[in-house]
Amino acid sequence: RTPNIPALAEDYAYLVAGLIDLYQTDFNAEWLSWAAQLTLAQQTLFADPQSGALYSTTADTDLLLRAIEATDTALPTPTSVATLNALRLNALNPNKKLSASADKTLQHFHDRLSHDPVTLPALLSALDFKLSKTQKVSIIGAPTSPPAVAFLAEFYRRYLPNAVVEFTQKKTPATAPLCTGTVCSLPTADPKELRKMLAARK
């Protein structure tokens, strides 16, 4: 029998990060929905109302002092991971609550990120994601068709820390527009053209 042990903020943050990665592997929308639900629950259970930073435990913990991990170590803090999670989820499926929670946290840590960024490299990555014109590749078509597979290969062949990919299954020839910020290209049916567009943003 599994003991009834309350989850910590890091459990939520790391699980959500994995769900987002999993969605961008098999494109099962359930992973994305679950990730969004967990992120909103995490904000309710762990977030400091003033800063948006996450306490390690819930308010009903037996500990005398609830702590907020303030420095990324070998493992980034739940706050850093959760902030990037919220931004990635918002890029895939716009959500004002997730966007606002990330903005609040980044604003709270603004001075520290400006003067002592080496202590919060993961949160700095989240800030970079926020400030960059995030790319989104939206593949539409049959998932096993050669063009669709080729589009995914083009996306995954390069390091794109500020990009996300989504897939809409339809019984049509695969196409893929590339959105940069709020501007989207015309859908292309040529994986080589997508390669050129992605390379142009290096």
Side-chain angles (χ1 to χ4, degrees):
R1 183 178 178 181
T2 303
N4 185 18
I5 301 175
L8 303 176
E10 63 182 20
D11 299 318
Y12 278 77
Y14 298 150
L15 175 56
V16 169
L19 288 171
I20 298 172
D21 289 340
L22 184 57
Y23 166 75
Q24 294 183 106
T25 301
D26 68 4
F27 302 102
N28 183 338
E30 291 185 7
W31 305 137
L32 209 57
S33 177
W34 189 19
Q37 292 173 23
L38 285 174
T39 299
L40 292 173
Q42 176 183 260
Q43 297 302 316
T44 300
L45 293 169
F46 301 100
D48 172 42
Q50 300 303 316
S51 67
L54 300 182
Y55 289 101
S56 298
T57 58
T58 58
D60 58 359
T61 180
D62 293 332
L63 298 176
L64 294 178
L65 179 65
R66 296 175 72 204
I68 293 178
E69 295 180 46
T71 301
D72 290 328
T73 57
L75 290 176
T77 69
T79 296
S80 296
V81 176
T83 303
L84 183 55
N85 287 344
L87 292 171
R88 295 173 71 198
L89 286 168
N90 183 65
L92 286 163
N93 188 14
N95 185 308
K96 291 183 178 180
K97 287 185 178 180
L98 295 179
S99 179
S101 70
D103 289 347
K104 178 188 289 188
T105 304
L106 291 171
Q107 183 61 42
H108 175 76
F109 286 98
H110 175 272
D111 290 343
R112 186 167 171 190
L113 288 170
S114 298
H115 300 101
D116 196 16
V118 295
T119 62
L120 286 171
L123 193 61
L124 193 64
S125 295
L127 177 62
D128 184 59
F129 191 101
K130 171 69 179 180
L131 296 180
S132 71
K133 291 183 178 179
T134 303
Q135 291 179 303
K136 179 165 72 171
V137 177
S138 300
I139 303 172
I140 303 170
T144 58
S145 66
V149 173
F151 281 134
L152 286 174
E154 290 300 336
F155 180 84
Y156 285 119
R157 71 186 296 169
R158 54 181 48 80
Y159 177 60
L160 299 169
N162 297 332
V164 294
V165 59
E166 64 180 5
F167 202 113
T168 301
Q169 296 190 29
K170 289 187 177 181
K171 295 180 180 180
T172 58
T175 60
L178 172 64
C179 296
T180 303
T182 58
V183 179
C184 296
S185 70
L186 292 174
T188 179
D190 184 357
K192 292 182 180 179
E193 183 62 25
L194 178 62
R195 179 191 305 176
K196 292 179 182 178
M197 290 189 289
L198 290 170
R201 272 297 312 277
K202 287 184 177 180

